[in-house]
Amino acid sequence: MKAVVVTEFGKPEVLKYVDLEIPTFNSKQVLIKVEKASVNFADIKSRYGKKGQGKLPFIPGLDAAGVIIAVGNEVTQFKIGEKVAAFPVGGSYAEYVVANENLTFHIPETVGFDIAAACPTVSLLSYKLLADLARIEKGETVLIHSAAGGVGTTAIQIAKILGAGKIIGTVGNEKKATVAQAAGADQVICYENEDFAKKVNELTDGKGANIILDSIAGRISEQSLHCLAPYGRLIHFGNSSGEVGHFNTQQLHSSCRSILGFSLGTTRKERPELLNDTAKQVINFIEKGQLTIKIGHQFSLEDAESAHRLLESRQSIGKILLNVRNK
């Protein structure tokens, strides 16, 4: 099969398009013929060696969509020929991948491979953050950083589905504001041009946001506490800035505010069973037309290097996909 591997840690040029053997699978796994794979910021970090990757070379990628072509003898939920999305074992930038049964999800025939590949990371993550960690209540104000990205545009929609009263997004570039607005954000702030915390307080009549989704870290996390409402929840789920944020414990207890951390990667590894119901919820939203995944760019598998360059430039909009099998 054809696959993309990271041959050494470094810049996008370390990605190589190579021939590999089709992977073997065990009794509790399925073999998937991949149609589309998704590109995520975590792939960038793993390429630089910042995600605790194992031995080089390795296949990057978190999620993919395709058709099951073989199943282990202990697999009970899937059959050959079924359309699925999955978090594969050993990366997704390949023509064939292996996935554990409990990290594979049925995709309705009405949902295309584009959406199926784009949805696992961004939609499951967004739902977990809002429904399970933040425990969103109807009418609450939600602030979403990096609102024009794949997670951001998805989280905006899920927040609305779950009953948010007001959704405010932040972006680092004014040109991205229209993307967040198109996804359903009521207000969008460019944090490079103005004090977003001050603006959020103005937009909420001084009350602040009840929920803040933060994947940036550093100063953005610190400033977020300046606009987090009493009893508010700041959900920290990434550090794309590479900076470290610092908090004072006095900022929390008397105001009954919380800072909560979440990692989809850790959950896939340690508690994959927590994602089963989440997947059913978001796939139902997609099938009903309530949730659409913004796909901004598509590249061939062979051109994964260009996909990484675009994502790393922070000029991308929505999700980036790899067309594993060009028609």
Side-chain angles (χ1 to χ4, degrees), residues 251-318:
Q251 294 175 293
L252 301 176
H253 76 276
S254 63
S255 60
C256 300
R257 300 184 298 178
S258 305
I259 298 174
L260 300 165
F262 183 78
S263 165
L264 186 62
T266 300
T267 303
R268 290 196 310 270
K269 182 180 178 181
E270 301 292 341
R271 298 190 179 183
E273 69 279 0
L274 297 180
L275 299 177
N276 195 272
D277 286 341
T278 300
K280 291 177 181 177
Q281 289 282 0
V282 299
I283 291 169
N284 183 49
F285 293 154
I286 290 170
E287 193 172 19
K288 287 182 175 179
Q290 294 175 287
L291 173 64
T292 59
I293 310 297
K294 170 69 176 177
I295 298 170
H297 316 269
Q298 299 203 38
F299 296 84
S300 67
L301 178 63
E302 188 174 2
D303 201 19
E305 178 181 333
S306 295
H308 273 228
R309 289 190 188 281
L310 176 61
L311 183 58
E312 202 167 354
S313 74
R314 299 191 182 278
Q315 298 303 307
S316 61
I317 293 171

Side-chain angles (χ1 to χ4, degrees), residues 36-314:
K36 307 273 183 172
S38 178
V39 179
N40 296 283
F41 198 81
D43 304 347
I44 306 295
K45 294 182 69 176
S46 67
R47 197 193 70 230
Y48 280 116
K50 296 179 179 178
K51 293 286 286 184
Q53 291 294 139
K55 295 180 181 179
L56 291 164
F58 65 88
I59 300 172
L62 300 179
D63 41 13
V67 176
I68 291 178
I69 62 168
V71 297
N73 57 22
E74 292 185 65
V75 171
T76 59
Q77 300 179 60
F78 299 97
K79 297 180 296 185
I80 292 172
E82 288 187 315
K83 185 177 179 180
V84 294
F87 294 114
V89 175
S92 62
Y93 293 14
E95 291 183 319
Y96 296 90
V97 298
V98 167
N100 294 328
E101 181 179 23
N102 60 6
L103 287 173
T104 304
F105 314 104
H106 287 283
I107 297 296
E109 285 301 319
T110 54
V111 177
F113 284 119
D114 285 8
I115 300 300
C119 82
T121 293
V122 296
S123 61
L124 271 66
L125 175 58
S126 296
Y127 187 88
K128 292 297 289 186
L129 297 176
L130 289 161
D132 296 343
L133 271 82
R135 298 180 183 177
I136 186 172
E137 297 180 5
K138 290 188 182 299
E140 289 193 311
T141 295
V142 180
L143 172 63
I144 300 171
H145 292 306
S146 298
V151 175
T153 53
T154 306
I156 289 169
Q157 295 176 75
I158 291 181
K160 193 171 289 286
I161 293 169
L162 296 178
K166 179 179 288 187
I167 302 170
I168 303 170
T170 72
V171 294
N173 186 321
E174 285 283 6
K175 295 178 181 178
K176 294 186 176 184
T178 55
V179 178
Q181 289 167 342
D186 299 298
Q187 302 283 342
V188 182
I189 305 163
C190 180
Y191 57 76
E192 293 297 335
N193 295 344
E194 61 182 318
D195 183 335
F196 75 83
K198 180 180 178 181
K199 186 66 176 179
V200 168
N201 288 328
E202 291 174 0
L203 293 171
T204 57
D205 298 322
K207 297 177 182 177
N210 304 105
I211 297 167
I212 300 178
L213 303 188
D214 167 35
S215 63
I216 302 176
R219 64 181 180 86
I220 298 298
S221 299
E222 294 170 354
Q223 291 172 346
S224 292
L225 278 185
H226 299 155
C227 61
L228 183 64
Y231 294 91
R233 290 84 74 200
L234 169 61
I235 314 296
H236 176 65
F237 65 100
N239 63 329
S240 62
S241 69
E243 300 173 1
V244 176
H246 299 277
F247 303 104
N248 189 320
T249 53
Q250 291 181 332
Q251 294 175 293
L252 301 176
H253 76 276
S254 63
S255 60
C256 300
R257 300 184 298 178
S258 305
I259 298 174
L260 300 165
F262 183 78
S263 165
L264 186 62
T266 300
T267 303
R268 290 196 310 270
K269 182 180 178 181
E270 301 292 341
R271 298 190 179 183
E273 69 279 0
L274 297 180
L275 299 177
N276 195 272
D277 286 341
T278 300
K280 291 177 181 177
Q281 289 282 0
V282 299
I283 291 169
N284 183 49
F285 293 154
I286 290 170
E287 193 172 19
K288 287 182 175 179
Q290 294 175 287
L291 173 64
T292 59
I293 310 297
K294 170 69 176 177
I295 298 170
H297 316 269
Q298 299 203 38
F299 296 84
S300 67
L301 178 63
E302 188 174 2
D303 201 19
E305 178 181 333
S306 295
H308 273 228
R309 289 190 188 281
L310 176 61
L311 183 58
E312 202 167 354
S313 74
R314 299 191 182 278

